[in-house]
Structures are given as C-alpha cells and as structure tokens.
Amino acid sequence: MIQDRNALKQARENAEKVLDSYACRILVCSGTGCIATGSEKIYEKFLEITKDAPGVTLEFAPHDEKAHLGVKKTGCQGICELGPLVRIQKGGETIQYTKVQPDDCREIFEKSVLGDEIIERLLYQKGGLHCKRPEDIPFIAKQTRIVLKNCGKYDAESLEEYIASGGFRALEKAMFEMNPDQVIAEVDKSGLRGRGGGGFPAGRKWIQVARQKETTRYVVCNGDEGDPGAFMDGSVMEGDPYRMIEGMILAAYAVQAQNGYIYVRAEYPNSVARLRHAIGVLEEQGLLGDHILGTDFSFRLHINRGAGAFVCGEGSALTASIEGNRGMPRVKPPRTVEQGLWAKPTVLNNVETYANVPEIILKGADWYRTIGTEGSPGTKTFSLTGSIENTGLIEVPMGTTLREIIFDIGGGLKSGAKFKAVQIGGPSGGCLTEKHLDVPLDFDSVKKYGAIVGSGGLVVMDENTCMVEVARFFMSFTQRESCGKCGPCRIGTKRMLEILEKIVDGRGEPEDLEKLEHLAHFVKDRSLCGLGKSAPLPVLSTIENFRDEYMEHIVEKKCAAHVCKAMRVYAIDPEKCKGCTKCARNCPAGAITGNRKEPHVIDASKCIKCGACMDNCAFGAVYVE
C-alpha cells in the first residue's frame, strides 16, 4: 500500500532499483496494430525461449529484484505499418526490430539478448537508411513526445514501471506543495486546450467547475474516439493508462471532485482491459479511493463502455449515455461545467488533454508554453494514414506544418504519387490541399481554411483519389451517426447525401452544386450540436478546393480518378488482347464480343461496369478510359 508521501517515495526508489537491475529487457509492442499482426505470438514465443534458457533468470510478474531479463508488453511503438515491433533494451541502448515473426525470436534471443550482434534484416530500412535505434528512424526522430513519451518504453500494465519513469511525481507535488486553486491556475496559465476537437481552454473549464456552489462534482474522460482512421486516444489508453489516470486525479483534486468516469467505446477492448487493470492496481495500492496519500482527498474512478455512437463524442450526449439514457445532445445553456453528469458540475476533457496535465504540473506552465504556438501551446498527437509511406502514431508541436508531417515524418506519398489533399479532423473536419502544405497546424490557423484539427486524424490522399467520393463517404458516415434529434442535421445530412450519391452515380445536374452548398450552410448554422455543425465541412472544403472535379462529374459525367463506378468506361487495347475469350466468358452482361485469337471489344451500351473483364484479363488489355 502507498499510504502517504513517504510510502510513495519508497515505492519509487524500489521501482527504480528494479528497473536498473535488468541486464536486458525484451519489449514487445502490444498496441492494437501490432496485436493485429501477431505480436501476442511473439510475446509468447519469447516467454517460451527465455524460460528454457540455461543460466537466465526471467522476470515477468511480480517483480523479482534478482531478475536480469524481462519480457514486457509495451504500448504502441509508433511505426505501426512495420509491426510486429520488438525493442531490445540493453546496456543503455535500445535496438528497434521491425516485422518480427515467431521464427525470428530465437535468433534475436541468441544474437542480440545473449550476444551483441545486430540482425540487419530486421532493422528499419528505407531510402538507404539502416536504423538501429528507434531515435535514428526519421519517423520517430522528428517528433516531440510528451503524451507518448512512455509508449513503447515501459510495461503498459506495470504501476511500478510507471512510477519508476516519473509517474505520480506531479500528483505528489500538487497534493503536498500546491492547493487546488494553484493547480487550476497552472493549467490555465499553460494555455492547454482540449485535444478532443473543439480546442476549448482546459483551465477555463476547471475554473468554471470550481466556482460552482454545488459541491458534488465529477471528472469525465471522453475516450469515445470515433473518427475513421483515428487511434490516438486508444493508443494512450492502452499504452500508458496510468498517465491519463494521473491527469484525471489531478483534475479531480483541482476541482474537488469525488468521482470520475472514463467513457470508452466497446470497440477498444485492449484499452478497456488495461484501464480496468490500472484502476484495480491503483485501488489496491491506495492511489485511488479514500484518503489518497494520507490526505483528506478521496476519488474513485469508473469505466463506462459506449456502444460506438459517434454523437456520444459530444459532451451532453456522452453524459446522457453514462446516465443510462440514449446518447443525444441537449440544448445549452446550461453547459456541462454547470450541469453535466447527473446535473452536477462536470469537468469533461478527452484522453490526450488529461495525459498532458502531469507534465504541466511537474515542469510548469512556462515550460509548456515553450512548445507549440502562442495560441495553441504544447504538442498534438496525430494518426497518419492513407497514401503515405510511413503510417502510424505521431506527436509533434502545435504549429508544425503539413509539409513537415507528410514529407519529413511520413516519408512522402507511396510509390512517388503526387500529393492531392489531406482530410484533417475526421468526418467532421475538412480538406487541405497542396496550397496549404505550409500552413501551421494549430486550432486557429486551420479554421481559416474551413477545417478543424479535431481529435487528430490525418488521412493523406494522392492524385488517384476522387474528392467527390471522399465527400460522399464522410457525409454517409455522419448521416448514419446523426442521432436525429434536430431537423437540420437529421434531414439536411440526408438530403446532402442524396445529392452527392446522385453526382457520383452520373446523374448530377449543374444546379445540384448550388443546392449542396445552400444545404451545407443551413445544416452548419442551425444544427443543435457539434456533429451537425461540422458534418458539412468535408463537402464545403472539397467544393471550394476541387470545384472543377465536381463539375467534371456533373457536366462531363467523368471521374478522372476512375473511382466512381457509374462513370467508368471499360475498353480493350487491341494490341494487348490475345483473344483468349476469358473476359467474354466471365462478362455477366454479354457485353464483350470477338473471335478466338482476335482482339475483343466491349459494347458500352450493355456494360454494367462490374469490372469482371479487368479482373479476369491476364494480359492487362482491359483498361478504364
């Protein structure tokens, strides 16, 4: 039990001693991405090998001070596309291995754990680079990690390792060297803005909750990450759950809340499991519950699993869901800080926001403001996906440009394709193009161009992307996710989707574009909550930046990217066609004719555009005009 400040200091000394006792640690990435590619088998294989190794003392749990070899499960190590990832931590240095398979484990153990050899084929290798250490990899080297500083370095489930890494120093400082008002003042001075999408100053929320006359207060964490392609909050919850929880405890101490709730979607089973484990350990050790560290402050933490409704990312819908009601937003005021969970004053921030708080309290607001921009201090995590060489999880200072993220960290576009656009902020965000590559990514700058930073999803698109289809895809998502409470969102998004579907089906008319813009502004201006207000952004930004592409679909009935199925025109190259008849035999519409061993032709009037001819041609003779 860690019952007081002295016990915490002793626990820290013991944890640091255990961590220092290792001659070698095998760190297996157990983030969701690597688990999907087989990292659990890697972990089991290393356990099997090390248990049978003569003269080797294995430690996995509980801690054994005599242990000199540890096999650990870490959170996301960042470069997700190269998983499963394994790090060998030995002699003050760390080796990063990529695309590790079970058959590689014994070689790694014999050469890099027991010996000092490097297995070259498993290192990061791109563009002539052979990177031994994680920090040598450009994708990692160009980042600034605050929220993700522990991910990939420590056992994600171990309280001891979190404490050894500096965990709960901020809580100790706050509770014994600062009063609640001073904690709030430090967070407010830091300029920390909510990382869930809106960018509202966190300190201002805390001040508003603390000044309420009602003494029953709550702290709620929004872990309902629903943007397609986004996995930042999930990676923090599963990779460093204690950091986020420490941030929530600090918030609770600051506003004197007695209970906290973490709202996390059920599609994140790994996050839920690690949060439950972390809460259980903290309760057992006395860092959650009654009289934390021997003080009068008591705080309990609970987990609520959401069913995956995107609208529950909105504050009032989220709190309604926790209460057991249907997740629907309500009219404001009163706001959550006044009447939130069970109509009590509530601090509501997202995972990344809380994960920033321990460093701010420990190092101070002035330090935090040295990172990022004046209006948006600190860093931001982004999930980098799409047509990009290096996909994965990154953290960079606010104000970093798209060019730096896409070309320096991301390594440019796949196969040297030309950059076309990036969707930022998920389905509620907007589209930025080549002319925006040098725009600083912060809350205020991005808004000028019809987009939002949002939770941090970045989907990179190349020249082969149809922007009209992109708008249709995101509108389809938000239309399905609309709770239906207000007419502008319920009806407006449906009508917008119908027009977009009409355009990609080749039935668009010139007046459709004017209707689409009118509807978009109507929905944006009159919807009840953030979902409806931001749902039209992908449409408005793609129309603004790619109006010619919309007109091409409407007037010429043509999709230059050959993405929109209804506009494809299949043809056969007579010079490549061998007359094998396979395409004709597999055409369900009988649209292909020709004699054996002679070039065939496609009758466009009969073609149903299924693509079977292209799929079955062994000579690459079928193409889309």
Side-chain angles (χ1 to χ4, degrees):
M1 283 283 289
I2 302 175
Q3 297 176 323
D4 52 31
R5 190 177 191 181
N6 289 331
L8 179 58
K9 289 181 177 179
Q10 186 61 54
R12 185 173 296 119
E13 290 175 8
N14 293 340
E16 289 171 350
K17 185 177 178 182
V18 171
L19 202 59
D20 291 341
S21 73
Y22 292 115
C24 182
R25 282 154 48 87
I26 302 171
L27 307 177
V28 181
C29 180
S30 292
T32 297
C34 279
I35 288 175
T37 55
S39 68
E40 291 287 342
K41 293 180 180 178
I42 306 296
Y43 177 76
E44 295 296 332
K45 188 67 175 178
F46 273 121
L47 284 184
E48 176 190 326
I49 292 170
T50 51
K51 282 179 180 177
D52 296 337
V56 173
T57 305
L58 173 69
E59 185 281 320
F60 45 105
H63 284 286
D64 177 356
E65 290 188 11
K66 296 180 180 179
H68 64 274
L69 174 64
V71 180
K72 304 290 183 180
K73 290 183 178 182
T74 74
C76 178
Q77 294 180 10
I79 40 177
C80 305
E81 64 168 329
L82 299 179
L85 300 166
V86 173
R87 291 179 178 178
I88 305 300
Q89 203 175 70
K90 182 180 177 183
E93 281 204 349
T94 302
I95 303 168
Q96 178 76 70
Y97 285 136
T98 64
K99 296 184 178 180
V100 177
Q101 299 301 312
D103 291 343
D104 299 319
C105 294
R106 184 163 293 280
E107 183 180 6
I108 292 172
F109 180 72
E110 292 175 352
K111 291 183 177 179
S112 300
V113 176
L114 298 182
D116 294 314
E117 292 184 55
I118 305 296
I119 304 171
E120 292 284 336
R121 75 173 190 282
L122 297 177
L123 295 178
Y124 175 95
Q125 300 179 40
K126 274 189 180 180
L129 284 175
H130 285 63
C131 301
K132 171 186 172 184
R133 303 178 306 165
E135 55 266 32
D136 294 334
I137 300 171
F139 181 84
I140 295 174
K142 295 180 182 293
Q143 297 184 40
T144 300
R145 293 195 158 205
I146 296 175
V147 170
L148 302 176
K149 64 180 289 187
N150 284 351
C151 285
K153 294 183 179 180
Y154 300 98
D155 184 340
E157 296 184 350
S158 172
L159 174 61
E160 290 82 2
E161 292 203 9
Y162 178 67
I163 289 175
S165 74
F168 289 105
R169 284 186 181 274
L171 182 64
E172 179 186 356
K173 177 182 178 181
M175 296 186 71
F176 294 103
E177 300 173 26
M178 304 170 74
N179 62 40
D181 289 341
Q182 288 173 319
V183 173
I184 294 175
E186 199 69 22
V187 172
D188 188 44
K189 183 183 175 184
S190 75
L192 173 66
R193 297 173 67 169
R195 298 309 199 244
F200 191 84
R204 200 180 303 171
K205 280 188 180 182
W206 296 19
I207 290 169
Q208 291 172 338
V209 170
R211 66 164 60 131
Q212 300 299 316
K213 292 181 179 179
E214 173 61 61
T215 56
T216 299
R217 299 162 182 172
Y218 295 99
V219 169
V220 175
C221 178
N222 180 358
D224 190 59
E225 188 172 49
D227 293 0
F231 48 89
M232 300 78 59
D233 287 351
S235 295
V236 173
M237 288 187 285
E238 67 186 25
D240 199 5
Y242 295 105
R243 174 176 297 275
M244 184 201 82
I245 292 172
E246 184 178 3
M248 291 189 71
I249 299 173
L250 285 163
Y253 172 72
V255 302
Q256 293 295 287
Q258 302 81 32
N259 283 278
Y261 290 82
I262 304 171
Y263 189 86
V264 52
R265 54 180 46 221
E267 291 100 320
Y268 280 177
N270 205 22
S271 297
V272 172
R274 289 189 181 167
L275 286 169
R276 281 179 174 166
H277 172 82
I279 290 171
V281 171
L282 291 171
E283 288 176 340
E284 183 182 306
Q285 292 297 317
L287 290 171
L288 276 177
D290 296 328
H291 305 294
I292 295 173
L293 293 177
T295 68
D296 293 334
F297 174 62
S298 300
F299 181 65
R300 298 188 179 278
L301 202 50
H302 317 272
I303 294 177
N304 274 74
R305 297 169 67 188
F310 185 65
V311 74
C312 284
E314 194 275 340
S316 60
L318 185 152
T319 52
S321 181
I322 292 176
E323 292 168 354
N325 301 314
R326 182 179 174 187
M328 299 175 75
R330 58 171 169 78
V331 177
K332 306 172 193 65
R335 299 197 173 275
T336 306
V337 293
E338 300 157 340
Q339 293 183 30
L341 192 59
W342 286 295
K344 303 297 183 182
T346 301
V347 169
L348 173 58
N349 289 122
N350 86 321
V351 172
E352 186 181 348
T353 310
Y354 286 121
N356 270 287
V357 174
E359 291 294 302
I360 291 171
I361 297 303
L362 196 58
K363 296 180 180 178
D366 292 337
W367 162 81
Y368 193 72
R369 280 196 167 274
T370 63
I371 306 165
T373 65
E374 178 63 28
S376 301
T379 59
K380 181 73 189 79
T381 62
F382 291 98
S383 59
L384 200 53
T385 59
S387 303
I388 190 89
E389 278 290 342
N390 302 323
T391 59
L393 184 66
I394 68 171
E395 183 177 359
V396 294
M398 280 285 193
T400 302
T401 65
L402 271 177
R403 190 182 300 279
E404 292 174 90
I405 291 174
I406 293 171
F407 294 97
D408 294 344
I409 296 175
L413 275 70
K414 287 182 178 177
S415 305
K418 185 180 178 182
F419 171 76
K420 187 170 187 178
V422 61
Q423 177 72 17
I424 180 171
S428 301
C431 211
L432 298 177
T433 64
E434 190 171 8
K435 66 183 178 183
H436 303 119
L437 282 175
D438 295 309
V439 170
L441 291 188
D442 61 59
F443 291 111
D444 302 318
S445 298
V446 171
K447 281 184 180 178
K448 298 175 186 176
Y449 303 99
I452 59 172
V453 170
S455 60
L458 286 176
V459 183
V460 180
M461 295 170 280
D462 64 19
E463 56 195 326
N464 300 310
T465 305
C466 172
M467 301 311 297
V468 184
E469 169 56 25
V470 166
R472 188 212 63 80
F473 170 81
F474 284 115
M475 182 51 62
S476 174
F477 178 87
T478 49
Q479 193 277 322
R480 289 196 311 271
E481 294 294 333
S482 173
C483 74
K485 185 173 184 177
C486 72
C489 181
R490 180 181 69 250
I491 303 169
T493 56
K494 179 66 174 174
R495 297 290 89 85
M496 288 178 69
L497 178 60
E498 287 171 352
I499 294 173
L500 287 165
E501 288 176 337
K502 181 182 173 185
I503 293 173
V504 300
D505 284 344
R507 299 178 289 109
E509 300 171 274
E511 57 266 27
D512 286 337
L513 209 52
E514 186 178 340
K515 291 178 184 177
L516 197 56
E517 289 182 289
H518 175 75
L519 273 170
H521 286 293
F522 184 89
V523 173
K524 181 173 178 287
D525 295 339
R526 291 169 173 79
S527 291
L528 176 61
C529 80
L531 185 148
K533 290 180 184 299
S534 58
L537 291 181
V539 176
L540 290 171
S541 61
T542 53
I543 290 176
E544 180 181 347
N545 294 301
F546 299 97
R547 181 175 287 269
D548 290 347
E549 202 163 315
Y550 276 87
M551 294 307 297
E552 183 182 58
H553 281 65
I554 293 169
V555 178
E556 300 179 36
K557 309 300 180 187
K558 179 182 176 183
C559 175
H562 305 311
V563 171
C564 298
K565 182 180 175 180
M567 297 182 186
R568 293 175 185 169
V569 178
Y570 289 92
I572 298 175
D573 186 341
E575 293 185 6
K576 292 182 179 179
C577 181
K578 307 298 182 184
C580 69
T581 75
K582 191 175 182 181
C583 60
R585 285 183 280 119
N586 284 279
C587 178
I592 304 176
T593 57
N595 298 321
R596 181 176 289 278
K597 296 186 179 181
E598 293 180 5
H600 283 45
V601 293
I602 299 175
D603 184 344
S605 65
K606 293 182 179 180
C607 178
I608 61 172
K609 309 178 190 298
C610 66
C613 52
M614 182 177 284
D615 294 338
N616 283 280
C617 182
F619 305 102
V622 182
Y623 65 98
V624 180
E625 290 184 329

